[in-house]
Amino acid sequence: EKKREKERDRMRELLSVSLIDELFYRSTFDSFTVRNEKDERYKRQLRNYADKFEEMYRMNRGLLLYGPPGTGKTFGAYCIANQLIAQGVPVFITSVVKLATGFGDELQRTLGIMRNARLLILDDLGAERNTETKAEQVFDVIDSRINSCKPMIITSNITKFKDEDIRRHRVYDRLSKVCIPIFVGGESRRLEDAKANHDKLMAMLNE
């Protein structure tokens, strides 16, 4: 019971400093809209990872969700996070953009949690390309987790990793050995949702 309570405290601590927004709370497998066979396969892959997380953890296997903006990469990562959190698994969620704005003790605390969390979800890898110091910090954390056999779920808008510079290409090459790469393509869900909302509002105005 003491061990379980300690784990619950750890989970609450991680959630208190995680990147939690409106999208996170709306991102569940029950709310996952399947539009075609690709969506069905993507949802199945994500759910299987969540269902088999303990096995994935023992094997140090994460996910690298990559593809164009708006296709559901962050949503998919959040779906996994919500299921695992509901099961009592401590998950830490952050983004490269958030790290780029952090400084001092707060940043060091965040980096420490990133290295030690049971599962790390890092959103928008690649956004650090124009800030060399932040890039080094992010890649140091990634190396640390790879070396300590702790899994990660990483999202990125980069679609051609071989076009990156040598240092970053080396990091992506290491990631591919511990993160199962899943290309998330198709039409932008954000654009589709925006168009649906626009059409709905226009219909209301035209009544």
Side-chain angles (χ1 to χ4, degrees), residues 104-174:
D105 292 342
E106 179 183 354
L107 175 61
Q108 293 307 311
R109 181 190 181 204
T110 299
L111 293 173
I113 294 173
M114 288 175 67
R115 291 186 179 94
N116 297 312
R118 188 167 176 81
L119 175 65
L120 169 66
I121 293 181
L122 179 60
D123 192 38
D124 207 12
L125 182 66
E128 78 291 335
R129 280 182 288 185
N130 295 324
T131 54
E132 290 301 318
T133 301
K134 299 299 180 183
E136 289 293 342
Q137 290 171 336
V138 170
F139 295 151
D140 284 348
V141 168
I142 289 174
D143 276 340
S144 175
R145 289 193 67 88
I146 291 175
N147 294 334
S148 59
C149 298
K150 290 185 172 68
M152 299 167 279
I153 296 178
I154 294 177
T155 74
S156 178
N157 291 333
I158 298 173
T159 56
K160 295 182 179 178
F161 297 108
K162 65 180 181 180
D163 293 341
E164 297 296 301
D165 65 47
I166 294 175
R167 180 171 57 84
R168 293 185 179 92
H169 180 69
R170 185 167 61 248
V171 172
Y172 297 136
D173 185 60
R174 290 202 71 195

Side-chain angles (χ1 to χ4, degrees), residues 161-197:
F161 297 108
K162 65 180 181 180
D163 293 341
E164 297 296 301
D165 65 47
I166 294 175
R167 180 171 57 84
R168 293 185 179 92
H169 180 69
R170 185 167 61 248
V171 172
Y172 297 136
D173 185 60
R174 290 202 71 195
L175 275 177
S176 68
K177 292 178 173 59
V178 296
C179 291
I180 303 164
I182 297 177
F183 179 73
V184 187
E187 298 296 324
S188 171
R189 286 177 175 262
R190 283 200 293 264
L191 291 178
E192 288 185 358
D193 291 343
K195 184 179 183 303
N197 288 333

Side-chain angles (χ1 to χ4, degrees), residues 7-92:
E7 196 79 348
R8 285 192 290 268
D9 289 342
R10 177 68 172 154
M11 186 171 64
R12 285 191 289 267
E13 178 191 10
L14 291 181
L15 287 176
S16 70
V17 292
S18 284
L19 178 65
I20 304 295
D21 54 17
E22 184 182 352
L23 175 62
F24 175 80
Y25 292 109
R26 292 189 284 109
S27 301
T28 65
F29 287 116
D30 289 340
S31 65
F32 194 119
T33 303
V34 174
R35 304 164 300 179
N36 48 48
E37 291 183 6
K38 289 183 179 179
D39 286 351
E40 180 63 40
R41 181 173 63 251
Y42 179 46
K43 180 179 181 179
R44 183 170 63 252
Q45 291 168 333
L46 298 174
R47 174 159 264 166
N48 282 338
Y49 182 87
D51 289 343
K52 301 175 182 179
F53 176 70
E54 291 304 321
E55 182 178 355
M56 293 292 179
Y57 183 86
R58 288 193 297 272
M59 297 170 63
N60 185 28
R61 286 295 179 269
L63 298 177
L64 173 59
L65 308 177
Y66 70 101
T71 51
K73 301 180 295 296
T74 301
F75 175 83
Y78 284 178
C79 284
I80 293 174
N82 270 308
Q83 176 168 322
L84 293 180
I85 290 170
Q87 295 170 355
V89 177
V91 178
F92 181 59

